[in-house]
Amino acid sequence: DDESRLRLALLEMRRGRPQAAADLALGLLRRRPDCPGFLQLAGQALLAAGRPTDSLPVLERLVEIAPDNAEARSLYGTALLVERRMAEAVGQLERATELDPTPGRRANLGLALIYADRTAEALTLLARLTEEEPEHGGGWINYALALAASGRLGEARSALLRALEIDPSDERA
């Protein structure tokens, strides 16, 4: 039944098996194609499985059905970012951040702004994030990227060192 398959798909995600979760979620979507929960799980699992192109129509449908769902817009914006559709990614991530400005969403928006050649805006956003959330390593990493893109390499190095202080095992830093 659907409830058992949903539980199994969620378990597969927790186990780090996003492809198995995606397969289960896509099966659920065939029976209930407009269920926001199934759409979100399928889109997130496809994205985590390294299938951003396949996640786009699923996440686009989710945003159509649930336009005020910050997580839906964040996932869709991330998929667009991976697919290098920068302007669209920024739009989705801006809306996600307006709806629910978590540190992670703000850091992702900053990254999208960098890739969209809007580095000055990214610097402002990420500087504020690192001031308000000094223990958010992703904010420091993306701030370092914005600083480096602005030619401020010494400050970028300092920001990366701060990220490593927060989490020495963070491979992104």
Side-chain angles (χ1 to χ4, degrees), residues 66-101:
D68 292 331
N69 180 324
E71 185 62 16
R73 288 195 179 268
S74 185
L75 288 167
Y76 187 36
T78 300
L80 290 164
L81 185 63
V82 172
E83 289 295 301
R84 300 189 183 280
R85 292 167 54 181
M86 301 310 167
E88 294 170 272
V90 167
Q92 292 299 322
L93 293 168
E94 283 176 332
R95 183 65 181 129
T97 302
E98 289 168 9
L99 291 166
D100 186 15

Side-chain angles (χ1 to χ4, degrees), residues 103-115 118-134 136-147 159:
R105 287 194 184 104
R106 293 165 63 194
N108 286 343
L109 173 56
L111 182 63
L113 289 167
I114 295 165
Y115 287 135
R118 293 169 57 183
T119 307
E121 291 172 73
L123 277 169
T124 301
L125 173 82
L126 294 165
R128 188 175 320 119
L129 173 59
T130 57
E131 289 170 14
E132 294 172 2
E133 302 286 343
H136 190 268
W140 284 102
I141 291 168
N142 291 354
Y143 187 42
L145 292 172
L147 288 164

Side-chain angles (χ1 to χ4, degrees), residues 34-95:
D34 289 335
C35 175
F38 295 168
L39 285 162
Q40 183 167 325
L41 177 59
Q44 185 173 7
L46 287 165
L47 192 56
R51 296 175 53 193
T53 303
D54 294 333
S55 75
L56 285 173
V58 174
L59 294 169
E60 182 175 25
R61 180 66 183 139
L62 176 59
V63 168
E64 289 171 3
I65 291 172
D68 292 331
N69 180 324
E71 185 62 16
R73 288 195 179 268
S74 185
L75 288 167
Y76 187 36
T78 300
L80 290 164
L81 185 63
V82 172
E83 289 295 301
R84 300 189 183 280
R85 292 167 54 181
M86 301 310 167
E88 294 170 272
V90 167
Q92 292 299 322
L93 293 168
E94 283 176 332
R95 183 65 181 129

